[in-house]
Amino acid sequence: MDVLLGAQWGDEGKGKVVDVIAADYQVIARFQGGPNAGHTLWIDGRKHVLHTIPSGVFRPETTNLVGNGVVIDPIIFLKEFEAIRDLAPDIHDRLLISRRAHLILPTHRLLDAASEAEKGDERIGSTLKGIGPTYMDKTGRNGLRVGDLERSDLMDRFRSLVKKHYRLLGLYGTQELTKEAEQEWLEAVRKLRELKLVDSEHVLENAFRAGRRVLAEGAQGTLLDIDFGTYPYVTSSNTVCAGACTGLGVPPTRIGRVIGIFKAYSTRVGSGPFPTELHDEVGERIRRSGNEFGSTTGRPRRCGWLDLPALRYAVMINGITELALMKSDVLSGLGQVGLCTAYEIGGQRTDHVPFDISDAHPVLEELPGWGELSTSGPLPDALERYIHRIEETVQVPVRIVSIGPERDQTLERSSALKEA
Ligand code: GDP
Ligand code: IMO
Ligand code: MG
């Protein structure tokens, strides 16, 4: 099994690369996160944003699996399912859902909002999809799972969890659900039950035995990981490579290539430390030309230069064997491009990511910028130099260079570096 994941703070362009390389795989499997993710695919000039459904769905030969590590909002899931039916008419047969995946209840969303409101200025900047409270119920051993939909006592379990949520919401002074909201959710789970619910760890084991190629699709990014990200400004799951093992029930010995996706610059949506953030017109220009507005929430993304200590950290934590450089076209036309090679923290210089980077100042190197990019010619020398500098620092080859959102705006690159 190969793993593809984000090496920054999310929105690196994972969806695009999964869609491009899915042709080489028979199974695409999401392993964590939920509708907080927004993976954008452009196919023949049409934009599709996937939240929970894996990004292989538009490749008719692939099976797409929603793994046990994912949290599912039935309402959002069904909307997404209906929205892609015209382009993927056989989706019903190619979409499998793990019985062990946890369900997001409408009260989880209310708890997410109440918790964020209470935090005030300290808020995480959550997508308010109920992700944190759902994973809390998972680890607290209170959660409802997809497999529970097949049980006769589903309604009792649902009522008992909602009752617990109401007690918590009472502490926050938040209103209870309307009857309509509850009905909408129950209607959605009835429909979800009609889809293909499976014991996905066995499905994957059988796929491996049959020699089928599996790609695990990450969501969010390494620096949003619950353990290794910029805690507490993170999501509530393990977004790193190890999460593919626990989120799919696949042993680490099955993992082959680990493909790290990163942008030619950095972005972050929501709160938390961001050492290379640009507060000037260059940042504004990157936001505009990169259309850096959230795929899920529409919020403007914070923009800054590429952060090599953070990228090297992502390579280390995930065991990344190769990299895909995205959105290099967005920096086209800048005279100089900044690159952060180290941090200065409390007067000390370091090229590692320590426990706390909230006071890290970037040590920047300036490299010459490049002009317009095209799929027909070689990469401009200045961009090649930029890529060499990255490779030299992180010691992993950049194998893919993406120069636009469409499938065919993707170049394969041969690197002087051998794979890690
Ligand atoms: P994901 O969450 O990692 O899948 O990334 P998102 O879909 O949230 O954000 C990436 C955005 O960049 C989407 O709007 C993509 O269509 C777009 N995109 C991906 N690759 C490229 C690229 O190489 N150049 C440009 N200009 N846009 C890209
Ligand atoms: P994809 O898969 C970018 C961020 C939120 C917030 C923090 C916690 O599209 O790359 P949560 O709703 O998970 O409790 O929010 O994590 N976040 C993302 N940022 N891309 C994502 O997903 C994200 N998923 C969550 O903005 O700062
Ligand atoms: Mg996204």
Side-chain angles (χ1 to χ4, degrees), residues 10-14 36-40 49-50 220 294-296 301:
D11 300 329
E12 296 91 348
K14 298 175 290 294
N36 48 351
H39 295 183
T40 315
V49 182
L50 297 169
Q220 291 79 52
S295 319
T296 296
R301 296 176 184 148

Side-chain angles (χ1 to χ4, degrees), residues 320-359:
I320 289 172
T321 57
E322 60 202 88
L323 288 160
L325 169 64
M326 312 302 289
K327 302 187 94 162
S328 38
D329 55 302
V330 172
L331 300 187
S332 288
L334 288 177
Q336 299 281 313
V337 176
L339 194 55
C340 168
T341 54
Y343 302 140
E344 246 172 42
I345 305 174
Q348 302 277 336
R349 193 174 276 214
T350 176
D351 54 12
H352 287 151
V353 174
F355 174 71
D356 183 7
I357 59 166
S358 51
D359 289 322

Side-chain angles (χ1 to χ4, degrees), residues 9-10 26 29 60 90 106 126 129 188 193 209 234 264 273 296 326 383 392:
W9 280 280
Q26 286 83 48
D90 57 345
S126 145
K129 302 293 177 194
R193 217 186 120 168
R209 283 171 191 258
V234 292
T296 296
M326 312 302 289
L383 178 53
E392 179 182 84

Side-chain angles (χ1 to χ4, degrees), residues 47-337:
K47 178 178 170 178
H48 307 269
V49 182
L50 297 169
H51 300 287
T52 325
I53 295 180
S55 303
V57 275
F58 298 118
R59 298 284 186 182
E61 60 287 355
T62 61
T63 296
N64 289 265
L65 172 73
V66 179
N68 57 279
V70 175
V71 289
I72 299 174
D73 182 325
I75 298 170
I76 297 178
F77 193 89
L78 284 164
K79 280 198 187 125
E80 207 175 320
F81 182 81
E82 293 302 331
I84 60 177
R85 266 187 131 157
D86 59 332
L87 258 190
D90 57 345
I91 171 92
H92 187 279
D93 301 322
R94 295 193 291 114
L95 183 64
L96 310 180
I97 306 168
S98 170
R99 288 196 173 90
R100 293 183 191 273
H102 278 247
L103 292 168
I104 303 177
L105 271 58
T107 37
H108 284 130
R109 266 186 281 139
L110 293 181
L111 285 166
D112 204 357
S115 159
E116 283 285 82
E118 175 132 312
K119 284 191 161 111
D121 288 346
E122 313 276 284
R123 67 183 174 278
I124 310 293
S126 145
T127 58
L128 302 180
K129 302 293 177 194
I131 304 294
T134 306
Y135 279 116
M136 281 165 73
D137 271 337
K138 175 178 178 174
T139 51
R141 294 154 296 174
N142 299 308
L144 265 187
R145 296 184 291 172
V146 168
D148 293 329
L149 302 181
E150 297 169 322
R151 292 180 136 145
S152 56
D153 61 353
L154 169 68
M155 280 315 285
D156 294 341
R157 287 163 179 264
F158 171 72
R159 294 261 171 254
S160 130
L161 186 53
V162 168
K163 203 165 135 198
K164 175 186 153 237
H165 290 166
Y166 282 160
R167 278 202 294 275
L168 290 170
L169 288 166
L171 296 176
Y172 287 117
T174 302
Q175 299 253 318
E176 297 192 353
L177 275 184
T178 60
K179 271 272 160 280
E180 293 75 43
E182 192 177 303
Q183 277 314 316
E184 188 189 12
W185 191 86
L186 288 169
E187 185 53 34
V189 293
R190 263 192 287 278
K191 289 190 182 147
L192 192 68
R193 217 186 120 168
E194 308 293 308
L195 303 184
K196 285 194 162 174
L197 314 184
V198 296
D199 292 344
S200 55
E201 60 280 20
H202 295 292
V203 170
L204 285 170
E205 177 61 17
N206 290 339
F208 293 133
R209 283 171 191 258
R212 303 180 83 203
R213 286 171 56 77
V214 179
L215 178 68
E217 173 179 359
Q220 291 79 52
T222 302
L223 293 150
L224 289 172
D225 180 86
I226 182 75
D227 283 283
F228 299 104
T230 48
Y231 193 90
Y233 301 102
V234 292
T235 190
S236 299
S237 57
N238 280 119
T239 61
V240 297
C241 188
C245 296
T246 56
L248 292 172
V250 170
T253 43
R254 286 266 186 218
I255 294 180
R257 295 158 65 195
V258 182
I259 306 163
I261 313 295
F262 75 111
K263 293 191 234 206
Y265 48 93
S266 306
T267 63
R268 169 159 213 176
V269 59
S271 328
F274 183 4
T276 64
E277 184 167 13
L278 290 164
H279 297 282
D280 57 7
E281 68 240 31
V282 180
E284 193 50 50
R285 178 183 163 163
I286 295 175
R287 178 158 37 251
R288 245 183 302 113
S289 53
N291 193 23
E292 293 297 353
F293 297 89
S295 319
T296 296
T297 57
R299 290 178 293 176
R301 296 176 184 148
R302 299 155 66 194
C303 298
W305 296 125
L306 181 60
D307 182 334
L308 288 181
L311 187 62
R312 190 171 33 201
Y313 185 68
V315 166
M316 176 184 94
I317 295 285
N318 297 299
I320 289 172
T321 57
E322 60 202 88
L323 288 160
L325 169 64
M326 312 302 289
K327 302 187 94 162
S328 38
D329 55 302
V330 172
L331 300 187
S332 288
L334 288 177
Q336 299 281 313
V337 176

